[in-house]
Amino acid sequence: MTLRYGREVLAMPGPTNIPDSVLNAMHRPAIDIYSGPLLEVTERCHEGLCSLFGTQGHAFIYAANGHGAWEAALSNTLSAGDEILVLASGRFAINWGATGESMGLVVHTVECDFRDSVSPARVSERLRKDTAHAIKAVLVVQVDTASGVVNDIPAIRAAISAAGHPALFMVDTIASLGTMTFTMDAWGVDVAVCGAQKGLMTPPGLSFCAAGAKALAAHESAGLCTRYWDWTFRRGTEHYHKYCGTPPEHMLFGLDEALRLLQEEGFDKAIRRHTLLARAVRAAVEMWAKGGVLDFNVAEPDARANSVTTIRMAPPHEPSRLLEFCRDTCGVTLGLGIGGLPGFRIAHMGHVNAPMMLGTLGCVELGLKALDIPHGQGGVQAAVETLAEGL
Ligand SMILES: *Cc1c(COP(=O)(O)O)cnc(C)c1O
């Protein structure tokens, strides 16, 4: 039999659950793109994004997924043959670097352990070797969605400054913005990228690039710049230019409502909600791990993300069986292991609350039991206690 009928829960790290009010905001006729209310929507979205990024700089909105924002960040600031340094934490920074390589950039890498965060000392050490300052940009993710690692962005910034290196600092916040603190200007980040479909609770299809003064200055001589991504063109006065063509208006209606929801809750409170729900998930995993089969992917507790928890499963146990059970019998979709993770992922990002997370944990625990996967007892109980103490 199955227990899946009822509202399904998406506990994969993107796309994430979309609030009904965001869906409803999109359910309306198309409107004029040259004048009227859409211009205000654009303005509110730009302002909302800048305040979420924590910048006085500019935010650009692309009709693209996160891969598009990666390309926008690089093409607007760099020229063919420029060197970049990729802090290869998890999977996504490596892929961002590969995007750069395909555009004609020369990629250098600081290798990282899949189970640990970027070491700022190693960043500093690598940059000190670049005495000619050939490296033009340093790329890192705040949260890697494959490994579940969170990187210490201010510490990495400090490491770049300690090496006296002038490279642009670019941060991918696709799996972190809205779920943990990020303050672009205060942290000395030059370019930040994000996508709509994770912490921002909007359907996939929009991505964002925020640029500070140093990045905008580099943009003046960026040889890789092409019309679609071009920051200068998009800063033109015509509304139509801000999207380099027809605005993705329904996506914008959705984003506008999602940003309103975040503002209504308060960014700080949204971060506290994510922090506590993440702690509850980790409390459950800690209990399950006592069975000797499951374990955290991220060894260091401080390096575990607020938005996704990555769990290893020892062979011969098959994570796919647990994922299928949770989806087909319970109506919860978990994240499969990607980037070489031998296990699965539980997302706790965006439109999530206590019943959704306790329900998800309960279903995982049910699956572990039903499938005879050895695990320590009391995971859900530990999550409940964590929530009770943390409120
Ligand atoms: C999801 C994700 C991406 C890729 O975003 P797409 O919208 O799938 O292109 C990039 N970086 C991080 C950290 C992500 O979590």
Side-chain angles (χ1 to χ4, degrees):
M1 70 169 285
T2 177
L3 302 170
R4 77 180 292 177
Y5 294 96
R7 175 160 283 214
E8 303 237 339
V9 172
L10 206 50
M12 65 195 286
T16 60
N17 299 289
I18 304 170
D20 290 343
S21 70
V22 170
L23 291 171
N24 290 337
M26 299 174 72
H27 192 85
R28 56 180 289 190
I31 59 173
D32 181 11
I33 59 173
Y34 300 104
S35 62
L38 190 63
L39 276 56
E40 285 150 38
V41 170
T42 289
E43 200 167 315
R44 272 200 306 275
C45 286
H46 278 96
E47 277 168 12
L49 287 168
C50 281
S51 92
L52 204 49
F53 278 119
T55 187
Q56 306 279 341
H58 281 268
F60 300 91
I61 301 176
Y62 296 99
N65 62 16
H67 282 67
W70 280 350
E71 190 165 327
L74 301 176
S75 70
N76 271 292
T77 53
L78 301 169
S79 300
D82 278 355
E83 300 180 27
I84 59 174
L85 184 64
V86 171
L87 312 184
S89 164
R91 209 41 251 172
F92 287 91
I94 296 172
N95 291 349
W96 193 4
T99 297
E101 190 163 26
S102 77
M103 296 163 69
L105 299 171
V106 177
V107 178
H108 301 285
T109 306
V110 172
E111 299 295 337
C112 302
D113 191 310
F114 191 72
R115 303 188 65 175
D116 203 359
S117 53
V118 170
S119 151
R122 293 193 50 211
V123 175
S124 204
E125 190 188 321
R126 178 63 186 83
L127 289 175
R128 278 180 214 276
K129 284 192 199 149
D130 181 34
T131 47
H133 295 165
I135 291 168
K136 299 300 177 214
V138 175
L139 276 55
V140 69
V141 292
Q142 187 174 26
V143 165
D144 182 80
T145 329
S147 67
V149 159
V150 57
N151 290 308
D152 187 340
I153 302 302
I156 296 169
R157 170 73 258 176
I160 297 170
S161 302
H165 203 288
L168 292 170
F169 187 31
M170 302 192 183
V171 181
D172 171 337
T173 69
I174 295 177
S176 52
L177 201 67
T179 76
M180 62 175 291
T181 303
F182 181 80
T183 52
M184 178 165 161
D185 291 355
W187 288 0
V189 173
D190 301 303
V191 181
V193 299
C194 193
Q197 78 275 22
K198 304 218 174 148
L200 304 193
M201 309 179 286
T202 304
L206 288 183
S207 60
F208 320 110
C209 221
K214 194 169 150 187
L216 291 167
H219 172 64
E220 298 297 324
S221 57
L224 283 175
C225 188
T226 55
R227 173 59 75 92
Y228 183 72
W229 308 114
D230 188 354
W231 289 344
T232 301
F233 187 72
R234 284 169 179 259
R235 285 174 73 185
T237 47
E238 293 285 319
H239 183 251
Y240 188 78
H241 289 177
K242 297 195 189 308
Y243 301 96
C244 192
T246 307
E249 42 182 28
H250 292 80
M251 302 296 302
L252 296 169
F253 297 145
L255 176 67
D256 190 28
E257 170 59 13
L259 291 170
R260 193 196 65 74
L261 287 176
L262 273 170
Q263 276 153 1
E264 180 182 75
E265 179 180 6
F267 295 162
D268 288 348
K269 285 188 177 148
I271 289 166
R272 279 175 55 198
R273 169 170 56 88
H274 281 88
T275 305
L276 186 55
L277 291 173
R279 281 177 48 209
V281 172
R282 295 195 282 260
V285 175
E286 209 166 305
M287 298 307 281
W288 298 334
K290 291 181 180 172
V293 170
L294 301 179
D295 194 10
F296 288 104
N297 180 57
V298 183
E300 174 64 47
D302 286 346
R304 293 175 190 151
N306 255 3
S307 48
V308 58
T309 297
T310 45
I311 301 150
R312 301 171 79 92
M313 187 184 278
H317 302 282
E318 276 290 335
S320 60
R321 285 179 67 225
L322 180 65
L323 265 62
E324 278 163 30
F325 179 90
C326 287
R327 188 193 58 211
D328 299 340
T329 306
C330 304
V332 177
T333 301
L334 301 170
L336 40 89
I338 61 167
L341 174 75
F344 62 99
R345 301 175 296 162
I346 301 176
H348 26 90
M349 99 172 87
H351 191 58
V352 286
N353 60 16
M356 290 157 92
M357 287 324 304
L358 288 172
T360 297
L361 296 174
C363 292
V364 173
E365 200 162 299
L366 169 60
L368 294 171
K369 199 164 199 74
L371 300 173
D372 268 330
I373 298 170
H375 61 285
Q377 302 297 302
V380 173
Q381 182 62 33
V384 168
E385 276 161 30
T386 300
L387 293 182
E389 281 162 21
L391 282 175

